[in-house]
């Protein structure tokens, strides 16, 4: 994925997040369903942001941004620790 594709995916996931919150507010889904789906979205968003940062760093240091790899969510999530 190139930078524009990653940003488009992030935008789509943010829209999905808003739709989930709206669905909860209107009673279309319950809180448990919302939390499960939000958790999935958050993990995928973290992976996209990580990939975007990798691509930008590689470009900044004269490397090929296409060499950036999507990392497992377990690795990306552990950055917070």
């Amino acid at each position: 994925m190139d930078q524009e594709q990653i940003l488009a995916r992030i935008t789509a996931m943010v829209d999905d997040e808003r739709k989930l919150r709206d669905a909860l507010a209107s009673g279309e889904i319950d809180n448990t369903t919302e939390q499960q789906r939000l958790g999935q979205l958050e993990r995928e968003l973290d992976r996209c942001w990580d990939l975007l940062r990798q691509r930008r760093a590689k470009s900044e240091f004269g490397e090929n941004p296409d060499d950036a790899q999507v990392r497992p969510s377990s690795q990306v999530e552990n950055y917070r620790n």
Side-chain angles (χ1 to χ4, degrees):
M1 265 193 285
D2 65 22
Q3 183 167 314
E4 289 75 28
Q5 291 170 318
I6 297 167
L7 289 170
R9 179 73 180 123
I10 289 169
T11 299
M13 285 188 284
V14 169
D15 289 342
D16 288 345
E17 182 180 27
R18 182 188 44 78
K19 289 175 188 173
L20 278 173
R21 294 188 191 285
D22 291 345
L24 177 66
S26 67
E28 295 173 41
I29 61 172
D30 62 21
N31 191 45
T32 301
T33 302
E34 183 217 23
Q35 291 302 312
Q36 289 172 338
R37 291 183 185 169
L38 281 176
Q40 292 169 340
L41 278 173
E42 288 172 359
R43 286 186 293 278
E44 190 60 28
L45 274 167
D46 286 345
R47 293 176 75 200
C48 284
W49 282 115
D50 175 65
L51 181 59
L52 187 61
R53 283 189 296 270
Q54 285 182 61
R55 289 185 60 84
R56 288 177 175 171
K58 286 186 179 296
S59 290
E60 182 179 340
F61 291 99
E63 297 177 29
N64 184 350
D66 292 334
D67 290 341
Q69 298 290 318
V70 177
R71 295 189 255 214
S73 60
S74 60
Q75 183 179 1
V76 173
E77 293 296 311
N78 287 330
Y79 291 157
R80 296 181 188 161
N81 297 332

